[in-house]
Amino acid sequence: MFISKHKKSCRVLCWILFAIYVSVLVHFLFFSESLGRVNLDRTYQYNLIPFREIRRFWVYREQIGPAASFLNLAGNILIFTPFGFFVPAMFRRLRGFFRVVLLGFELSLAVECVQLVTKTGSFDVDDLILNTLGSVIGVLLYMAIQHKRDMAANRRRRENG
């Protein structure tokens, strides 16, 4: 009985945290004025050359500023890490590593396309790479925690059984 209530509470908490995460994600990716997302006079901007912007932010980090470099590089990874964690935690059928990574890539591709079409950002293949890496980190974190929980449950079963 306790396990059932505990699992239900965890599931509800996951949904609440996921809803907050999606709200923050949408705000930062489409509406954040501090990131220049509301300028209506923008033209279509895109980068289709892998690692071009990553390299630029790394090579010119002193001129650009460490905060801007960190925000672009680590921020693109960190913003998709919760996605990689929450998806397998919430959806049993989506617990496979490659499935979660593919979903993270697909979501990132959709975001980049919407940003391009709406001119609220630029389509950047490097963002796809970094966002997908964030999904990889998130799903690996989920898998590590799940493995640790499974090992503890097996140990308890051996001790009690």
Side-chain angles (χ1 to χ4, degrees):
M1 185 72 146
F2 173 73
I3 302 273
S4 177
K5 285 183 179 182
H6 178 71
K7 280 187 177 183
K8 187 174 182 176
S9 296
C10 285
R11 205 168 284 129
V12 168
L13 180 61
C14 268
W15 276 102
I16 291 169
L17 291 173
F18 187 70
I20 292 169
Y21 163 70
V22 169
S23 299
V24 169
L25 183 70
V26 168
H27 172 74
F28 277 114
L29 294 176
F30 299 111
F31 301 110
S32 179
E33 290 182 35
S34 65
L35 297 176
R37 304 284 191 220
V38 293
N39 184 356
L40 299 177
D41 297 332
R42 292 184 66 156
T43 59
Y44 294 109
Q45 297 177 348
Y46 56 91
N47 168 40
L48 301 176
I49 301 171
F51 304 105
R52 172 194 253 171
E53 290 299 304
I54 294 171
R55 188 175 314 118
R56 184 176 72 86
F57 273 97
W58 181 255
V59 170
Y60 298 107
R61 66 187 176 278
E62 295 302 320
Q63 293 88 339
I64 295 171
S69 293
F70 178 81
L71 181 65
N72 185 278
L73 299 175
N76 274 306
I77 294 169
L78 293 174
I79 200 158
F80 269 72
T81 301
F83 179 83
F85 182 85
F86 281 125
V87 166
M90 294 169 45
F91 304 101
R92 224 173 250 252
R93 291 182 22 226
L94 301 176
R95 289 194 175 155
F97 175 82
F98 292 108
R99 191 172 279 179
V100 174
V101 172
L102 180 61
L103 282 172
F105 173 79
E106 290 171 342
L107 177 61
S108 180
L109 180 61
V111 165
E112 293 299 314
C113 289
V114 169
Q115 285 182 338
L116 177 67
V117 170
T118 62
K119 301 178 188 177
T120 56
S122 63
F123 183 98
D124 190 349
V125 70
D126 290 348
D127 288 352
L128 284 171
I129 293 167
L130 294 170
N131 295 161
T132 304
L133 178 58
S135 294
V136 167
I137 292 169
V139 71
L140 288 175
L141 181 62
Y142 171 81
M143 293 171 95
I145 291 170
Q146 192 62 37
H147 178 71
K148 194 169 187 170
R149 288 180 66 210
D150 291 346
M151 298 228 351
N154 288 338
R155 187 173 43 248
R156 281 191 303 273
R157 269 188 236 125
R158 281 193 308 268
E159 289 171 357
N160 295 333

